[in-house]
Amino acid sequence: MIASFQLLTGLLALTTSAVSSVVQPRSITPPEGCPIPTWVVNNFQWHNASHSLDCVHHPYDYPEACLCGSGWCKPDPATCNGTMVNPCYTGMPNYEPWGYGPLETLDIDFADGLQCHDQYIGYRIHDIGNGASNCGYADRGQGRIVSFYGTSNLDSSIGHMDYVLGSGHALTCANGSSITYSGSVDFPLTCTHDAYFNATCTAPVFEIPVLSYQWV
Ligand SMILES: *[C@@H]1O[C@H](CO)[C@@H](O)[C@H](O)[C@H]1NC(C)=O
Ligand SMILES: *[C@@H]1O[C@H](CO)[C@@H](O)[C@H](O)[C@H]1NC(C)=O
Ligand SMILES: *[C@@H]1O[C@H](CO)[C@@H](O)[C@H](O)[C@H]1NC(C)=O
Ligand SMILES: *[C@@H]1O[C@H](CO)[C@@H](O)[C@H](O)[C@H]1NC(C)=O
């Protein structure tokens, strides 16, 4: 039997003074005798170049690139001395085909050592900024799933992050029961853009509060 509890603690603190645009909930109190994790993101870096190859939101269903030797040539079927291919196919030599900018990359590093590194590669495409990051993939069997939602198109915006601790990382309470947790948070996201609108986004150190638990 699995009992789950959703404890909402977000509406605790309303003061008459300055109201922050981001009201941060605090972590729940864990059940008696149970440890509770602390999830602090101490490094957040997102590079989304204006011409990064985006295989999820590409304007063409079948983008074409010229694979010539071990590199890329101009994607013109008339002059391509190699093979015209879909650059989003699995196994391409790199993901910066002719005409595309540097790879989009996302790094989310936690104080406890968990690192989530994401980039567009054909066989493992995450929709960066719209859900699960590579932590959810690399740690799939264990299930530390970190999801990020946000935009790199604004100088200043609010990002959102969810953390689900899967049963492979369950913690043990004093009485021997196993428990897992999940949490989420909104955080300030700051992006700078160069003359080509390449975006570099960062966030200050922030904590994802633990908002619910589950017996496993
Ligand atoms: C351990 O304690 C929790 C409450 O703190 C309780 O819900 C759970 O059923 C207990 N487990 C066992 C095996 O007694
Ligand atoms: C910025 O965008 C331009 C044009 O797409 C590209 O040539 C350049 O490599 C990009 N630079 C970075 C740091 O992303
Ligand atoms: C194809 O042509 C380009 C120049 O147009 C050259 O750089 C490249 O090495 C050629 N590749 C092969 C496989 O011949
Ligand atoms: C990444 O950058 C591209 C090009 O500027 C933009 O169209 C896209 O919306 C960005 N992705 C996200 C999730 O903000």
Side-chain angles (χ1 to χ4, degrees):
M1 186 180 89
I2 293 173
S4 94
F5 299 80
Q6 295 281 340
L7 300 182
L8 299 176
T9 57
L11 301 174
L12 286 178
L14 278 182
T15 65
T16 52
S17 59
V19 176
S20 162
S21 61
V22 182
V23 177
Q24 300 298 13
R26 298 177 49 165
S27 284
I28 56 168
T29 301
E32 184 77 27
C34 295
I36 189 169
T38 304
W39 298 321
V40 173
V41 175
N42 59 11
N43 180 46
F44 182 97
Q45 291 277 334
W46 180 19
H47 297 285
N48 185 13
S50 54
H51 291 80
S52 295
L53 174 60
D54 182 341
C55 292
V56 178
H57 302 282
H58 200 282
Y60 308 112
D61 284 346
Y62 299 100
E64 289 202 313
C66 172
L67 183 63
C68 54
S70 59
W72 300 98
C73 293
K74 187 177 179 180
D76 177 351
T79 60
C80 179
N81 57 4
T83 314
M84 294 297 292
V85 297
N86 182 334
C88 293
Y89 279 166
T90 296
M92 295 293 110
N94 65 59
Y95 294 87
E96 298 172 39
W98 199 97
Y100 292 96
L103 285 174
E104 179 176 4
T105 62
L106 172 66
D107 285 282
I108 305 168
D109 298 333
F110 287 81
D112 64 8
L114 179 64
Q115 297 188 314
C116 316
H117 175 78
D118 235 305
Q119 62 189 40
Y120 275 107
I121 46 180
Y123 57 90
R124 192 196 299 164
I125 296 168
H126 292 118
D127 191 358
I128 295 176
N130 290 289
S133 73
N134 204 34
C135 274
Y137 184 93
D139 201 34
R140 190 175 275 168
Q142 303 276 289
R144 286 184 295 194
I145 299 172
V146 175
S147 300
F148 161 64
Y149 301 83
T151 177
S152 65
N153 300 324
L154 300 173
D155 291 345
S156 177
S157 63
I158 302 297
H160 182 83
M161 201 169 284
D162 297 327
Y163 193 129
V164 176
L165 190 72
S167 52
H169 288 279
L171 301 173
T172 306
C173 305
N175 67 2
S177 287
S178 291
I179 192 169
T180 61
Y181 294 94
S182 60
S184 60
V185 74
D186 289 337
F187 63 94
L189 185 64
T190 301
C191 301
T192 57
H193 300 91
D194 69 11
Y196 303 100
F197 206 67
N198 298 314
T200 296
C201 305
T202 57
V205 173
F206 65 94
E207 180 170 349
I208 305 173
V210 177
L211 299 180
S212 64
Y213 65 88
Q214 187 166 1
W215 300 110
V216 293

